[in-house]
Amino acid sequence: MPLLASTLTMQQLKVVMFLSFAGPASGQELARHLGVGLATVTGIVDRVVAQGLAGRHEDPHDRRVRRVELTEAGRRLTSEIIEAGTGGYIRLLRRLDTETLRTMETVMRKIEDVMRDIHAEDTKDA
């Protein structure tokens, strides 16, 4: 289990996973995503960089902005975490009968619809 073998804190893991899905991000973007201040993000990123999972570089469009990007080690870790989770999920699904899987599909579609509505409301309010 790569996640359990990792020494990342929850906030560091959130940064690594966010970068995995979103790509390079500025400190401001990370702070907004985590719901913390820029000074807090700086400390979190410093520790992720020290572990060799991410690096900082200048934004090519705005030299005042430093972007954080996963290193090869960071991409490998996130890939291992995702694959481990997916593998467990697949093993679980293989044990379910067709009727249960169809019911799950219906429920998941309803959850997706509600999430889409919530996102639309949040976007409208922002």
Side-chain angles (χ1 to χ4, degrees):
M1 293 294 295
L3 183 57
L4 298 177
S6 162
T7 60
L8 295 172
T9 66
M10 184 55 70
Q11 291 291 64
Q12 292 167 1
L13 178 62
K14 286 179 182 179
V15 166
V16 169
M17 295 309 291
F18 179 79
L19 294 172
S20 172
F21 290 105
S26 69
Q28 290 287 349
E29 291 166 334
L30 290 170
R32 198 168 33 256
H33 173 72
L34 294 174
V36 299
L38 189 55
T40 301
V41 164
T42 299
I44 294 167
V45 170
D46 285 346
R47 290 184 285 284
V48 172
V49 169
Q51 293 184 53
L53 300 175
R56 290 183 174 100
H57 65 274
E58 194 175 88
D59 186 311
H61 304 292
D62 186 345
R63 294 176 45 194
R64 298 169 297 173
V65 176
R66 307 272 298 155
R67 299 192 73 74
V68 182
E69 183 173 14
L70 289 180
T71 61
E72 181 57 37
R75 286 189 292 278
R76 191 171 42 252
L77 175 65
T78 56
S79 178
E80 290 170 0
I81 290 170
I82 292 167
E83 286 175 20
T86 302
Y89 191 62
I90 288 170
R91 283 186 18 227
L92 181 143
L93 292 176
R94 284 187 179 146
R95 294 178 184 223
L96 299 176
D97 60 81
T98 304
E99 182 181 337
T100 301
L101 291 170
R102 285 190 179 126
T103 300
M104 277 183 61
E105 179 185 18
T106 301
V107 170
M108 294 305 291
R109 288 187 191 279
K110 288 181 181 183
I111 290 171
E112 182 182 20
D113 291 343
V114 170
M115 289 174 62
R116 193 176 296 113
D117 291 345
I118 289 170
H119 178 71
E121 290 171 8
D122 291 349
T123 304
K124 186 177 73 174
D125 293 340

PDB file of all heavy atoms in Angstrom, residues 12 57 117 125:
ATOM      1  N   GLN A  12       0.061  17.619   2.881  1.00  0.00           N
ATOM      2  CA  GLN A  12       1.051  17.367   1.840  1.00  0.00           C
ATOM      3  C   GLN A  12       0.482  16.437   0.777  1.00  0.00           C
ATOM      4  O   GLN A  12       0.673  16.655  -0.419  1.00  0.00           O
ATOM      5  CB  GLN A  12       2.315  16.758   2.454  1.00  0.00           C
ATOM      6  CG  GLN A  12       3.077  17.717   3.333  1.00  0.00           C
ATOM      7  CD  GLN A  12       4.123  17.026   4.180  1.00  0.00           C
ATOM      8  OE1 GLN A  12       4.313  15.804   4.115  1.00  0.00           O
ATOM      9  NE2 GLN A  12       4.812  17.798   5.010  1.00  0.00           N
ATOM     10  N   HIS A  57       9.248  26.344 -10.101  1.00  0.00           N
ATOM     11  CA  HIS A  57       9.864  27.004 -11.244  1.00  0.00           C
ATOM     12  C   HIS A  57       9.105  28.285 -11.563  1.00  0.00           C
ATOM     13  O   HIS A  57       7.951  28.458 -11.157  1.00  0.00           O
ATOM     14  CB  HIS A  57       9.928  26.072 -12.458  1.00  0.00           C
ATOM     15  CG  HIS A  57       8.582  25.696 -12.989  1.00  0.00           C
ATOM     16  ND1 HIS A  57       7.854  24.643 -12.492  1.00  0.00           N
ATOM     17  CD2 HIS A  57       7.830  26.235 -13.966  1.00  0.00           C
ATOM     18  CE1 HIS A  57       6.713  24.551 -13.144  1.00  0.00           C
ATOM     19  NE2 HIS A  57       6.680  25.506 -14.045  1.00  0.00           N
ATOM     20  N   ASP A 117     -25.487  19.978  -9.652  1.00  0.00           N
ATOM     21  CA  ASP A 117     -26.358  21.063  -9.184  1.00  0.00           C
ATOM     22  C   ASP A 117     -25.660  21.900  -8.114  1.00  0.00           C
ATOM     23  O   ASP A 117     -25.717  23.133  -8.145  1.00  0.00           O
ATOM     24  CB  ASP A 117     -27.664  20.507  -8.614  1.00  0.00           C
ATOM     25  CG  ASP A 117     -28.562  19.893  -9.678  1.00  0.00           C
ATOM     26  OD1 ASP A 117     -28.329  20.136 -10.885  1.00  0.00           O
ATOM     27  OD2 ASP A 117     -29.494  19.155  -9.294  1.00  0.00           O
ATOM     28  N   ASP A 125     -22.949  31.574  -6.973  1.00  0.00           N
ATOM     29  CA  ASP A 125     -22.789  32.400  -5.780  1.00  0.00           C
ATOM     30  C   ASP A 125     -21.415  33.065  -5.702  1.00  0.00           C
ATOM     31  O   ASP A 125     -21.253  34.082  -5.037  1.00  0.00           O
ATOM     32  CB  ASP A 125     -23.000  31.574  -4.511  1.00  0.00           C
ATOM     33  CG  ASP A 125     -24.439  31.097  -4.380  1.00  0.00           C
ATOM     34  OD1 ASP A 125     -25.320  31.701  -5.023  1.00  0.00           O
ATOM     35  OD2 ASP A 125     -24.673  30.120  -3.643  1.00  0.00           O
TER      36      ASP A 125
END
